[in-house]
Amino acid sequence: MTPNPLVIHPEDDAEPLLALFEGQDFNAVPVVDDGGHLLGMVTKLGLLRLFRVGNVTGATGAEAPASLRVRDIMDTRKVWVEAGDGLDVVVQRMTRYHVRSVPVVVRAGGGRRLVGIVTYRDLRSMVARPPASVLESAGT
């Protein structure tokens, strides 16, 4: 698990995410509220699909890229794991939902506070020595 991942907020501009994804080689970025609670994810593939040539035009009624906010493009599916979940749960979520990154949360009040993210790259390194829980793989 990667603890304390880079996050974005619903009101952030969406257009700069293209450069972020390319510059940092991320596949997804968690979207959180001001309290750090998970609201959704923005994926590289989803963003590229949105901005592909011919998709964002006045003819289709879609908004121009400069006016899009993260809230307009984030995936709000309930795809996450809890810090105490095992490797099998992480793999199940990734394969079931066809994602390469899964947020790791802890329940806090009525929400889910983001504490990390497990990526496909993390999984490859964990397979050699499966941890008892996702949180243990972060060394906490």
Side-chain angles (χ1 to χ4, degrees):
M1 174 180 92
T2 301
N4 304 311
L6 173 75
V7 297
I8 53 179
H9 298 91
E11 298 304 316
D12 292 345
D13 290 330
E15 188 175 17
L17 291 176
L18 287 171
L20 175 71
F21 279 129
E22 291 306 316
Q24 299 295 320
D25 194 31
F26 292 144
N27 286 308
V29 178
V31 181
V32 299
D33 64 15
D34 291 336
H37 295 96
L38 182 67
L39 299 173
M41 296 282 283
V42 173
T43 66
K44 180 190 271 186
L45 184 58
L47 196 59
L48 289 174
R49 283 182 183 149
L50 180 67
F51 289 130
R52 74 178 182 247
V53 175
N55 193 38
V56 182
T57 66
T60 64
E63 294 183 56
S67 67
L68 286 174
R69 300 280 183 240
V70 167
R71 71 174 179 274
D72 300 322
I73 61 170
M74 70 181 185
D75 182 350
T76 58
R77 289 182 295 171
K78 308 294 188 218
V79 182
W80 69 83
V81 294
E82 293 192 34
D85 288 341
L87 182 60
D88 57 332
V89 175
V90 175
V91 171
Q92 182 267 339
R93 296 279 161 57
M94 284 183 160
T95 56
R96 179 176 181 192
Y97 294 101
H98 306 285
V99 295
R100 296 178 55 91
S101 303
V102 178
V104 180
V105 300
V106 293
R107 292 187 189 268
R112 298 170 307 276
R113 189 174 50 82
L114 182 73
V115 294
I117 192 166
V118 177
T119 65
Y120 178 75
R121 187 175 299 143
D122 294 332
L123 261 187
R124 285 193 324 229
S125 66
M126 288 191 308
V127 168
R129 50 175 179 66
S133 73
V134 174
L135 190 58
E136 285 178 16
S137 69
T140 57

